[in-house]
Amino acid sequence: MTDSKYFTTTKKGEIFELKAELNSDKKEKKKEAVKKVIASMTVGKDVSALFPDVVNCMQTDNLELKKLVYLYLMNYAKSQPDMAIMAVNTFVKDCEDPNPLIRALAVRTMGCIRVDKITEYLCEPLRKCLKDEDPYVRKTAAVCVAKLHDINAQLVEDQGFLDTLKDLISDSNPMVVANAVAALSEIAESHPSSNLLDLNPQSINKLLTALNECTEWGQIFILDCLANYMPKDDREAQSICERVTPRLSHANSAVVLSAVKVLMKFMEMLSKDLDYYGTLLKKLAPPLVTLLSAEPELQYVALRNINLIVQKRPEILKHEMKVFFVKYNDPIYVKLEKLDIMIRLASQANIAQVLAELKEYATEVDVDFVRKAVRAIGRCAIKVEQSAERCVSTLLDLIQTKVNYVVQEAIVVIKDIFRKYPNKYESVIATLCENLDSLDEPEARAAMIWIVGEYAERIDNADELLESFLEGFHDESTQVQLQLLTAIVKLFLKKPTETQELVQQVLSLATQDSDNPDLRDRGYIYWRLLSTDPVAAKEVVLAEKPLISEETDLIEPTLLDELICYIGTLASVYHKPPSAFVEGSRGVVHKSLPPRTGSSESAESPDAAPSAGQAAEQPAVIPAQGDLLGDLLNLDLGPPVSGPPLAASSVQMGAVDLLGGGLDSLMGDESEGLRSDVGGSPAMGGSGFTAPGPAAPAAMGAPLGSGLGDLFDLTGGVGTLSGSYVAPKTVWLPAMKAKGLEISGTFSRQVGSICMDLVLTNKALQVMSDFAIQFNRNSFGLAPAAPLQVHAPLAPNQSVEISLPLNTVGSVMKMDPLNNLQVAVKNNIDVFYFSTLYPLHILFVEDGKMERQMFLATWKDIPNENEAQFQIKDCSLNADAVSSKLQGSNIFTIAKRNVEGQDMLYQSLKLTNGIWVLAELRIQPSNPSFTDLELSLKCRAPEVSQYVYQAYDAILKN
C-alpha cells in the first residue's frame, strides 16, 4: 500500500488517537504514528500539541524513525522553544553515536533549529563533529557552522569555530574542503570587512587539488572562491588557469560558467604575447558553444553570459558566428539574444554571411523578431563600414516587400546610416518618399520627417511632403511634432522664398495651439531666432552634426568589468550589479578585475591600454544622458564612498617601479579596483610601495662621477616657498546654454587640498535653488569631497562664490584629453552638463621631493624613449626665481648646477596617483636675448608629460 493512507482522516479526536499511538510499546505502531504526524504537518495541520510525545520517540536506534522525529523538531522548535530544550540531551548523545550517519543527522538538525536558547548547548557537540574521524560528519558540521553564524555570529566567533573552519580547508577529503569553502564564503558575504578567506598560494594549491575530486556543487563553491583570489604575478595566474581549464569540459553548465569566470578574471593578468594566452582563448570557445545545445532556458542564461564575454574579449568567439544563427524553433527570447551577439561579432570577415542570415530573418512571421533583424542590418552597416553599401541595398530590397512594419523599421535605421555616412547614400531618398503614406508608427514617421528636413534641398517636393504631415499635427505624438517643427524650419532656411507660409503655420501650431511645454519652448526659440537673426538661426539649426558611434548599447567598461566577476550568477543575466537588485547590504561587495600586470605589458607598454582592443574603439566619452541622469538622482548624498583598498599583494613592486605604473589605472578598464587606500594615497600603480626593492641599492652604488653624477655634489639654490599658482576664472557654462545659470571657475591647491572655486550667477528671471554637482569618471578620480553648499536661494542677477573641496578617490577612466573633466550641475530648473580642462599642477602632491640618490637611479632606469623635450617660450626669469615659483606649486628642485654658462635645474614632482615625473630645466642667464627655457621630462607614463609641460608653462608665465 502507498503512503497515501497517512493522509486520510480519522473520525474520532485525531490528536488524541495519535498521542496514544505515539506512546505505544510496539515499535511499528510508534513509527506509523510518527509518519501520520509528519503527514498532518505536511498538509498544514497544527500538530504542535504532540511535541513532548514525538520528542520521546527520539530515543531509538531506527534511523528512519529518528529522521522523521528530527524533521518534526525542525518545524516546531521555533514555536515551542521551551519544549525544544528537552531534545538537547538526545542531540548531545546522538553526536557520540557509533554510526556516522546518525552523528551527521544530529549535527544537521542542530543547525536547522533556529532557537537562541538552544544554540549554546550545541557548541560542544558541534566542536566534536568538526574534528570527527568520518569525513561525512565533518562536511555536515562545516555547513552547520555557517547556519549557526547566521543565528548568533558572536557565539561562533567566541567559540573559535571560524578557525576550525579555516583548518578544514586543508582537510584530506575534497568534499569537506568544498563545504568549508562554501561555509566561509557564506559567512564572509554577510561580513565583507572580515578577512575570513585569507587565501595564500598554499591554500589555493589545496583548493585546486580538491577541485578535481568533489561533487559539482563543491566545485562551484571552490571556483567561486578562487575567483576572489588575487594572484601575486602572471606566473601564478597562469598556473591557476592551467589547473582550472579541465573544468571547462564538465557536464554541469554551472561548473563550466564558474570556470569561465575564473579564467576571464585571471586572463587580465596574462600578457597577450604569451603562447598560453592564445591557447586559453582557443580553449574557452568550445565549452561556451556546447552550452548552446542545452534546453532553451539554459541557452538563454548562457547567451546572456556570452554577451558579456563577447563585449570584453570578442576574439574568443570570433570564428563561432554560425552557432549564433537562429533556429526556427528557438523561443523568441533566445532568438533576440542570439541576434544581439551576432551583431557584436560581426566583422569584415563574416559580414556577408551575417547579412544573408539577417535578410532571411526579416521575412519571418514573428513581428518582434523581424523588427530586431531589420535594426540589426542597420547596426551592421554602422559597425562595419565596408558593408554599408550591401546593408543599404538589403534594406531597400526589404522596403520593396511593402510589409508595413519592415518598411518602418528600415526607415528608422536608414536615418542612422545617413548620420554615420553623410553624403553617401542619399540616392535612396526617393524610394523612401514613396512609402510615406504607409507610415503609422511615431518613430518611423519622425525618422522620415528628419530625412526630409535634413535633405530638403535634394527633394523637389519637400514642402508638399511636410505639409501632408501638418494636416493632422495635433494628433501626432510629441516625437513627431518636434521633428516636424525642426524639419520645416530647416526647409525654410534652405528655401526661404517658397516656404514662408508653411513655417508660419507650423510655428503658430506649435506655440499658440499646443499645450506641450517642450514643443512650445522649441517653437518660441525658433520663432525668436528667425525673427531676430536668421544667420544665427542657420548656424544653430543647420550645424554640422556629430557622427554617431558604432556600438551604442555597449555596457559601460567599469560595469562590464564588475559583471565579468559575476559570470554564472543572476547579475550576469540581468546585466546589473548585485547592488541594483539585492535588498539589504548582503552580497553587495563591489568586485573588479585585477589590474593588468602582464610581464611585457607593465605601465610603460603602449598596448597595455585597451583591453582586447575594445576600449580602444570606445567613442568619445560623453555618457548617454541616461547614465549621467541616473547618477544625478543620488547626487550629493555625501562624499563619494571609496571602494575597498586593493589587496597588498597587488602593489608590492620593486624600486624599478617606484614611479608607479600609476597610469595603468588610466588605461581604461581597471578603474573600479583602483579606488584610494584608506590612508588617502591612491592604491594605484606603485604608490603602495614600502621600501625600494633590490634594484635600487645596486643603482645607487654605481659610480657617481659621470654625467649626472657630479650634480649631487652641488648645493641647489632652492628658492623660498611662494603660493601655488591659480589660473584666472573662466566661463565654463554660459547662461544661454543653462537656462540662465552661468558658471565660471578655476581650480586651486592649498595646503594639500584641491578646490574648485566656482562663481554661480543667476541670469534668469526666476529664483534658483537645490544646487548639486557631480563629476563623470575621469583620469585621476577627481570627485567632490562635500556637497555643493549654496546656503540661500540664488535670486535673479545675483552671484555667489563657492569653494568646493575635491578629492581623488572617485572612479577612474582614461579621458581624452587626459585632464578633461565632465561635470553635471543640477538645480530646481534642470540638469546641465559641461566639460572643462583642469591644470595638472593641482594634482602635484606636497611630498614630491625625491632623494638625490633615488633621483639619479630613477633617471637612469626610465628608458630614453620615455623622455620628452619641450620649450617654454619668452620666460626671462633667473634660476632662483624659476625654482621658487615652481616650488610654490609642488615642483621641487633637487639640485642645480652651471654648465657652460647654462643653469641646469633637476626637479621632481609626484601626482596624486603615485606617478613620479623627473625634469631637467635649462636656463641661459648669460644671454638676455635668448629667453626660451628647455625642459626635458622623464616619466614611466609618458602620456602625462604633455600636461606637466602645460603646467610648467602656465606657472612660469604668471
Side-chain angles (χ1 to χ4, degrees):
M1 190 174 173
T2 63
D3 286 349
S4 59
K5 61 181 179 184
Y6 303 118
F7 291 87
T8 53
T9 54
T10 44
K11 293 293 165 278
K12 280 179 296 189
E14 208 169 358
I15 299 283
F16 178 77
E17 282 189 10
L18 283 173
K19 201 179 183 84
E21 286 177 25
L22 286 169
N23 293 322
S24 152
D25 300 334
K26 294 186 177 148
K27 277 190 180 170
E28 273 311 303
K29 217 166 185 183
K30 245 186 191 175
K31 193 157 133 191
E32 293 295 298
V34 173
K35 283 189 176 178
K36 280 182 191 163
V37 171
I38 298 289
S40 301
M41 182 178 92
T42 310
V43 294
K45 287 184 187 160
D46 181 15
V47 281
S48 56
L50 298 169
F51 201 96
D53 309 285
V54 177
V55 170
N56 283 339
C57 301
M58 266 173 100
Q59 317 282 352
T60 171
D61 300 334
N62 182 325
L63 192 58
E64 189 184 3
L65 182 54
K66 210 176 227 12
K67 277 187 178 170
L68 290 168
V69 175
Y70 277 173
L71 199 62
Y72 177 88
L73 235 150
M74 286 190 242
N75 200 29
Y76 283 119
K78 203 161 179 74
S79 58
Q80 309 253 357
D82 302 331
M83 292 284 213
I85 291 187
M86 291 165 35
V88 166
N89 283 336
T90 320
F91 280 133
V92 177
K93 232 170 73 193
D94 280 356
C95 286
E96 312 265 315
D97 196 278
N99 180 348
L101 291 175
I102 288 185
R103 297 203 296 273
L105 181 65
V107 167
R108 178 178 298 130
T109 312
M110 279 169 13
C112 294
I113 294 180
R114 302 180 64 84
V115 176
D116 273 343
K117 287 185 182 171
I118 299 185
T119 39
E120 274 105 79
Y121 299 107
L122 305 183
C123 291
E124 261 335 290
L126 179 58
R127 183 173 287 108
K128 285 190 179 126
C129 290
L130 281 167
K131 302 239 176 358
D132 198 283
E133 78 268 7
D134 191 286
Y136 181 71
V137 181
R138 291 201 300 275
K139 88 177 177 82
T140 312
V143 176
C144 186
V145 174
K147 290 181 173 170
L148 196 57
H149 188 274
D150 201 33
I151 304 167
N152 189 339
Q154 199 51 50
L155 180 74
V156 172
E157 284 158 33
D158 297 345
Q159 293 282 346
F161 287 150
L162 294 180
D163 298 326
T164 321
L165 259 190
K166 288 181 189 172
D167 296 342
L168 286 183
I169 288 188
S170 316
D171 199 276
S172 55
N173 183 294
M175 266 325 295
V176 178
V177 176
N179 277 15
V181 167
L184 282 168
S185 305
E186 175 81 15
I187 294 171
E189 209 162 84
S190 53
H191 290 66
S193 52
S194 63
N195 195 7
L196 284 179
L197 277 162
D198 186 17
L199 298 173
N200 52 36
Q202 289 69 39
S203 55
I204 288 290
N205 199 20
K206 285 169 185 151
L207 292 184
L208 287 165
T209 311
L211 188 61
N212 300 323
E213 293 162 31
C214 53
T215 63
E216 44 201 32
W217 292 109
Q219 295 185 21
I220 291 167
F221 287 130
I222 291 180
L223 287 167
D224 286 351
C225 176
L226 285 173
N228 293 329
Y229 174 61
M230 182 71 78
K232 60 179 188 299
D233 55 23
D234 51 346
R235 299 256 309 270
E236 189 183 359
Q238 180 174 340
S239 83
I240 294 175
C241 289
E242 282 166 355
R243 293 177 68 177
V244 168
T245 312
R247 296 300 109 217
L248 292 174
S249 49
H250 200 285
N252 183 330
S253 48
V255 176
V256 174
L257 281 178
S258 293
V260 168
K261 166 168 65 185
V262 175
L263 296 173
M264 284 293 289
K265 212 169 165 185
F266 290 172
M267 272 170 85
E268 281 295 303
M269 298 186 66
L270 300 179
S271 155
K272 289 187 176 180
D273 313 339
L274 283 176
D275 296 342
Y276 179 67
Y277 181 84
T279 321
L280 197 51
L281 284 181
K282 287 197 189 85
K283 282 185 178 164
L284 275 170
L288 293 173
V289 170
T290 310
L291 291 177
L292 297 183
S293 50
E295 51 269 34
E297 293 79 5
L298 280 179
Q299 277 189 51
Y300 178 71
V301 172
L303 286 164
R304 292 292 280 175
N305 280 283
I306 288 171
N307 200 328
L308 295 174
I309 293 166
V310 165
Q311 287 183 56
K312 184 74 185 155
R313 301 199 181 279
E315 64 271 34
I316 293 178
L317 287 160
K318 65 178 179 206
H319 300 306
E320 301 292 345
M321 179 62 92
K322 281 249 172 67
V323 297
F324 298 107
F325 286 175
V326 171
K327 298 191 180 75
Y328 73 96
N329 57 353
D330 280 339
I332 182 71
Y333 54 89
V334 171
K335 284 180 172 173
L336 296 179
E337 207 53 44
K338 280 185 172 177
L339 254 185
D340 209 27
I341 296 172
M342 277 169 66
I343 300 162
R344 295 204 194 288
L345 290 175
S347 64
Q348 212 176 329
N350 56 25
I351 193 76
Q353 217 180 356
V354 174
L355 277 181
E357 194 71 16
L358 290 175
K359 194 171 176 184
E360 198 66 34
Y361 300 161
T363 57
E364 291 267 340
V365 286
D366 190 320
V367 177
D368 282 340
F369 179 54
V370 172
R371 286 172 179 277
K372 186 103 180 208
V374 177
R375 292 242 158 156
I377 296 174
R379 278 175 61 189
C380 286
I382 288 167
K383 187 173 179 196
V384 185
E385 188 163 345
Q386 295 77 4
S387 74
E389 190 107 10
R390 293 173 76 157
C391 294
V392 172
S393 65
T394 308
L395 288 168
L396 287 177
D397 294 348
L398 291 173
I399 289 177
Q400 296 310 333
T401 62
K402 300 284 185 219
V403 180
N404 192 331
Y405 53 87
V406 176
V407 173
Q408 310 213 39
E409 283 298 327
I411 286 176
V412 173
V413 294
I414 285 177
K415 177 197 76 167
D416 287 342
I417 294 175
F418 285 168
R419 285 281 313 270
K420 174 79 175 173
Y421 309 111
N423 305 326
K424 243 184 155 174
Y425 300 110
E426 280 76 16
S427 52
V428 308
I429 294 178
T431 321
L432 302 183
C433 292
E434 292 164 14
N435 294 286
L436 262 178
D437 307 334
S438 63
L439 306 180
D440 53 14
E441 289 168 19
E443 202 179 354
R445 288 174 77 88
M448 192 63 229
I449 292 169
W450 181 86
I451 292 171
V452 174
E454 188 66 16
Y455 300 104
E457 70 278 12
R458 306 176 186 217
I459 305 172
D460 303 331
N461 60 341
D463 46 350
E464 291 166 26
L465 296 177
L466 291 175
E467 206 167 342
S468 66
F469 283 104
L470 261 190
E471 287 152 15
F473 186 78
H474 289 305
D475 307 328
E476 299 285 5
S477 72
T478 311
Q479 183 183 10
V480 179
Q481 291 177 330
L482 287 166
Q483 279 297 359
L484 192 51
L485 171 60
T486 305
I488 291 178
V489 171
K490 283 181 185 169
L491 175 67
F492 171 69
L493 290 168
K494 290 176 181 178
K495 304 178 176 176
T497 45
E498 307 122 64
T499 52
Q500 196 110 26
E501 284 171 29
L502 190 61
V503 82
Q504 279 174 334
Q505 192 183 349
V506 76
L507 286 172
S508 67
L509 279 171
T511 52
Q512 289 153 13
D513 310 348
S514 164
D515 50 6
N516 179 327
D518 290 344
L519 185 62
R520 263 207 324 255
D521 287 355
R522 190 181 289 192
Y524 279 125
I525 287 172
Y526 283 152
W527 199 317
R528 284 172 192 158
L529 262 176
L530 292 171
S531 54
T532 52
D533 188 351
V535 180
K538 213 163 190 163
E539 280 174 15
V540 172
V541 182
L542 304 178
E544 276 288 297
K545 287 167 195 56
L547 293 186
I548 56 177
S549 68
E550 49 168 271
E551 291 270 0
T552 44
D553 57 345
L554 283 174
I555 293 179
E556 175 280 314
T558 37
L559 175 59
L560 179 62
D561 283 356
E562 187 174 349
L563 291 177
I564 292 284
C565 301
Y566 286 110
I567 285 178
T569 65
L570 259 185
S572 68
V573 180
Y574 287 152
H575 287 189
K576 288 180 178 165
S579 50
F581 59 87
V582 175
E583 288 194 359
S585 61
R586 287 179 65 115
V588 188
V589 188
H590 275 294
K591 299 187 179 181
S592 62
L593 292 178
R596 262 301 179 59
T597 54
S599 51
S600 67
E601 289 198 10
S602 61
E604 294 92 63
S605 150
D607 46 272
S611 74
Q614 190 173 327
E617 297 156 18
Q618 287 286 317
V621 200
I622 286 195
Q625 290 270 328
D627 305 356
L628 257 178
L629 276 173
D631 283 358
L632 277 164
L633 296 178
N634 56 19
L635 263 177
D636 273 352
L637 299 176
V641 188
S642 62
L646 276 187
S649 63
S650 64
V651 284
Q652 287 168 347
M653 303 188 177
V656 184
D657 235 13
L658 268 182
L659 297 162
L663 227 78
D664 264 3
S665 55
L666 299 186
M667 295 298 196
D669 301 46
E670 296 78 24
S671 62
E672 274 302 329
L674 297 161
R675 298 287 185 76
S676 97
D677 251 321
V678 184
S681 77
M684 303 179 195
S687 62
F689 64 81
T690 44
M700 289 177 196
L704 299 181
S706 59
L708 274 169
D710 44 353
L711 140 176
F712 294 104
D713 310 335
L714 303 157
T715 50
V718 178
T720 53
L721 190 69
S722 59
S724 168
Y725 162 63
V726 181
K729 290 192 176 74
T730 51
V731 175
W732 286 340
L733 182 66
M736 58 182 286
K737 282 193 176 172
K739 303 186 180 173
L741 171 65
E742 181 178 281
I743 300 181
S744 53
T746 183
F747 294 86
S748 62
R749 183 182 184 94
Q750 294 131 6
V751 210
S753 58
I754 305 171
C755 286
M756 187 184 209
D757 302 319
L758 299 166
V759 177
L760 307 181
T761 307
N762 181 356
K763 297 193 173 177
L765 301 174
Q766 68 191 94
V767 174
M768 294 182 179
S769 60
D770 308 336
F771 285 88
I773 191 164
Q774 189 167 10
F775 296 176
N776 196 7
R777 292 173 323 182
N778 53 74
S779 308
F780 292 89
L782 278 176
L788 184 61
Q789 302 273 349
V790 180
H791 293 298
L794 198 55
N797 294 321
Q798 192 185 356
S799 292
V800 61
E801 294 199 14
I802 300 161
S803 190
L804 177 73
L806 309 183
N807 58 27
T808 50
V809 298
S811 299
V812 175
M813 172 165 69
K814 185 178 182 183
M815 300 296 283
D816 183 29
L818 209 56
N819 56 343
N820 188 8
L821 181 64
Q822 295 173 346
V823 183
V825 171
K826 158 184 165 293
N827 62 12
N828 56 334
I829 298 172
D830 201 350
V831 179
F832 310 106
Y833 305 100
F834 64 90
S835 66
T836 177
L837 301 177
Y838 49 89
L840 213 61
H841 67 262
I842 62 167
L843 302 172
F844 297 172
V845 295
E846 280 63 26
D847 61 349
K849 186 164 186 176
M850 198 181 256
E851 288 294 332
R852 296 178 161 200
Q853 312 292 77
M854 204 58 230
F855 183 94
L856 181 68
T858 310
W859 184 279
K860 288 182 176 173
D861 191 52
I862 298 178
N864 286 339
E865 57 267 23
N866 284 19
E867 185 168 349
Q869 310 279 352
F870 302 96
Q871 274 201 337
I872 299 171
K873 302 265 185 209
D874 309 322
C875 174
S876 49
L877 299 173
N878 66 12
D880 288 354
V882 165
S883 187
S884 153
K885 254 194 167 185
L886 293 173
Q887 178 149 352
S889 295
N890 294 338
I891 301 175
F892 298 95
T893 303
I894 290 165
K896 167 189 163 188
R897 65 174 188 173
N898 191 292
V899 182
E900 298 163 1
Q902 294 188 351
D903 281 338
M904 312 277 273
L905 295 181
Y906 296 94
Q907 298 174 319
S908 72
L909 61 98
K910 181 171 144 193
L911 297 175
T912 49
N913 61 353
I915 299 177
W916 285 90
V917 182
L918 310 190
E920 176 187 81
L921 191 60
R922 289 169 184 244
I923 306 165
Q924 303 200 348
S926 52
N927 183 353
S929 63
F930 195 83
T931 54
D932 295 355
L933 311 188
E934 287 177 31
L935 177 67
S936 298
L937 295 176
K938 259 191 165 189
C939 175
R940 287 196 191 275
E943 299 80 338
V944 294
S945 299
Q946 172 68 32
Y947 303 94
V948 172
Y949 155 67
Q950 289 168 7
Y952 261 88
D953 197 61
I955 295 165
L956 290 176
K957 290 190 179 167
N958 289 282

